[in-house]
Amino acid sequence: MNILAKRERIEEIQYLRGFAFLAVVLQHAIGHYAYLPESGVQDGAMLGILLIAAKFAVPMFIFITGLVLFYNYTSEVSFWSFIGKRCKDILVPYILWSTVYALWFQTGGEGLWSGLKIVVADWFAGKASYHLWYVVMSIQLYLLFPPIQRAVLPLWRRSKPWTLRAGFVLLCLVYVLLTTKVGVIGEAASKLHIPVLTPLFTEYADRNALYFFIYFVMGAAAGLNLQAWKQWMLKRQGVFLSLYAILSCILFYKIMASFRTKDGYVIQYNDTLLVQPFMAVFLLLSVVAMCIAAVWLHQYGNGRLKKLFNLLGQYSYGAYLAHALMLTAGTFAADALFPGWNVSLRTVIAFIFCALLSVLTAAALGKFRLGRFMTGAPAPRKRDV
């Protein structure tokens, strides 16, 4: 039976979606400007600080997915009805935007049939634009949710709290170990030549849901016992925030140390790649830190700020899909309106332009029946977690 429980609305979820959307846009604005010839070491340092602050984006989106699914679906789901809803809300907007990007970035030398094959191939690979890999990865989580839920719910109901906590810590350790073996796993997979699976562990390993599972598990743990999660998190918020600050400083030091090479100073951010042992620990802490920030916003934030992040959260998926196109417009506007300004300032200006244009685009599309198919919201929802 597929039962979507009518549960209490989680106000903080929209704030978290808003945080994550802004963080994604900021990361991609940094990616555009950081490697320009005029970028100096001082820009590399400033953008490194901003990048560290924004790296939680993908883990946060995955965490939210796990939390919302396990919070809402309290009984075993029917696979096909569940997947049907996700096709409408997630897959259709993705396919439409993937097609837009594939056509936008095509060189124009392909014939009709060759061009069509490229577009369809991009649907499966998430290669039409640099940000669509995440959707391909998240679709795997939606496909796996029904069987995972069938296994998790009985285990959760029968287990004692201390056992569940110990199991989660063990999974965290397993995940950190997994991040050290990505290359080994890829080499082994390349020798097997299994369709779909081999590319998923080699060429497309960066969008393999296995390498991001811990954030989904953390979300599931929060969704299954939300009040206990919040109490546990807030009771230890001083510890978590201190550790997050310490690891942020260490990461900044690693970034700055990597700039110095035998060829001189080179701006690079390889130490912030997501699937690495240190980053795994840092990102787990960053998710907790952002959850604490969302609770603070809910408890102490003013009405306008809450309304802003509610709006960002409401349109986050459509705006996420649109933002790569809007970033092109944002960087053009920043460079045209503020020529000669330093790279760090232009990055922030382009980020603001891009975020604003993306949300406005998603909101405008949402006002039209056909446009809603590009935003993941085909009709106003009576309730939204």
Side-chain angles (χ1 to χ4, degrees), residues 315 360-380:
Y315 293 111
L360 288 176
T361 299
L365 288 171
K367 293 185 180 297
F368 301 95
R369 186 163 190 167
L370 291 177
R372 290 181 191 136
F373 287 102
M374 298 188 74
T375 66

Side-chain angles (χ1 to χ4, degrees), residues 167-232:
F168 176 71
V169 171
L170 179 61
L171 282 176
C172 288
L173 294 174
V174 169
Y175 178 73
V176 173
L177 177 62
L178 175 66
T179 62
T180 69
K181 304 298 181 182
V182 174
V184 175
I185 295 171
E187 289 179 8
S190 66
K191 299 175 182 177
L192 298 177
H193 305 291
I194 302 174
V196 180
L197 285 180
T198 291
L200 200 56
F201 286 93
T202 53
E203 182 180 359
Y204 300 114
D206 61 339
R207 60 209 68 192
N208 186 335
L210 174 65
Y211 296 135
F212 299 92
F213 82 87
I214 195 62
Y215 311 112
F216 186 78
V217 171
M218 179 187 277
L224 286 168
N225 201 344
L226 186 62
Q227 293 307 315
W229 158 263
K230 289 174 69 173
Q231 291 171 8
W232 172 82

Side-chain angles (χ1 to χ4, degrees), residues 30-41:
I30 291 169
H32 174 83
Y33 282 103
Y35 308 108
L36 294 180
E38 62 265 35
S39 297
V41 174

Side-chain angles (χ1 to χ4, degrees), residues 247-259 268 271-272 276 278-279:
L247 264 63
S248 295
C249 292
I250 294 172
L251 182 55
F252 179 68
Y253 179 85
K254 287 164 63 73
I255 289 171
M256 294 303 297
S258 73
F259 287 179
Q268 57 184 351
D271 286 303
T272 68
Q276 301 182 83
F278 178 86
M279 285 300 295

Side-chain angles (χ1 to χ4, degrees), residues 29 33 41 43 48 57 59 70 84 93 98 103 155 171 188 192 199 207 226 231 242 258 285 293 337 354:
Y33 282 103
V41 174
D43 292 306
F70 278 92
S98 180
L103 296 174
L155 183 65
L171 282 176
L192 298 177
R207 60 209 68 192
L226 186 62
Q231 291 171 8
S242 297
S258 73
L285 283 169
L337 295 173
C354 177

Side-chain angles (χ1 to χ4, degrees), residues 110-358:
E110 300 86 1
L112 179 61
W113 178 242
S114 297
L116 181 60
K117 288 195 293 185
I118 291 172
V119 169
V120 174
D122 285 343
W123 292 351
F124 290 95
K127 291 175 63 177
S129 181
Y130 53 80
H131 68 305
L132 296 180
W133 72 270
Y134 167 76
V135 185
V136 171
M137 187 273 296
S138 66
I139 287 171
Q140 297 168 49
L141 295 174
Y142 286 115
L143 290 172
L144 292 169
F145 171 68
I148 289 174
Q149 190 212 39
R150 288 176 183 271
V152 166
L153 285 183
L155 183 65
W156 175 68
R157 289 166 182 158
R158 292 197 302 262
S159 300
K160 296 180 179 179
W162 72 267
T163 307
L164 294 171
R165 287 193 292 269
F168 176 71
V169 171
L170 179 61
L171 282 176
C172 288
L173 294 174
V174 169
Y175 178 73
V176 173
L177 177 62
L178 175 66
T179 62
T180 69
K181 304 298 181 182
V182 174
V184 175
I185 295 171
E187 289 179 8
S190 66
K191 299 175 182 177
L192 298 177
H193 305 291
I194 302 174
V196 180
L197 285 180
T198 291
L200 200 56
F201 286 93
T202 53
E203 182 180 359
Y204 300 114
D206 61 339
R207 60 209 68 192
N208 186 335
L210 174 65
Y211 296 135
F212 299 92
F213 82 87
I214 195 62
Y215 311 112
F216 186 78
V217 171
M218 179 187 277
L224 286 168
N225 201 344
L226 186 62
Q227 293 307 315
W229 158 263
K230 289 174 69 173
Q231 291 171 8
W232 172 82
M233 180 178 63
L234 293 175
K235 186 177 180 180
R236 299 164 178 81
Q237 60 184 319
V239 174
F240 288 129
L241 294 177
S242 297
L243 290 173
Y244 176 59
I246 291 170
L247 264 63
S248 295
C249 292
I250 294 172
L251 182 55
F252 179 68
Y253 179 85
K254 287 164 63 73
I255 289 171
M256 294 303 297
S258 73
F259 287 179
R260 187 172 184 177
T261 69
K262 62 180 181 180
D263 299 319
Y265 280 94
V266 177
I267 294 175
Q268 57 184 351
Y269 299 110
N270 293 335
D271 286 303
T272 68
L273 296 177
L274 297 179
V275 187
Q276 301 182 83
F278 178 86
M279 285 300 295
V281 178
F282 171 76
L283 292 172
L284 285 168
L285 283 169
S286 72
V287 169
V288 177
M290 292 305 112
C291 288
I292 293 170
V295 173
W296 285 356
L297 177 58
H298 179 58
Q299 292 179 348
Y300 310 115
N302 64 52
R304 289 184 179 180
L305 196 58
K306 291 181 181 180
K307 187 175 181 180
L308 171 62
F309 279 98
N310 262 315
L311 182 70
L312 291 172
Q314 179 183 352
Y315 293 111
S316 59
Y317 185 53
Y320 176 86
L321 292 172
H323 88 271
L325 197 57
M326 299 304 116
L327 184 59
T328 301
T331 55
F332 176 82
D335 294 341
L337 295 173
F338 305 99
W341 286 35
N342 71 57
V343 166
S344 298
L345 285 174
R346 279 188 285 152
T347 300
V348 173
I349 293 167
F351 155 69
I352 295 171
F353 281 154
C354 177
L356 181 61
L357 290 171
S358 300

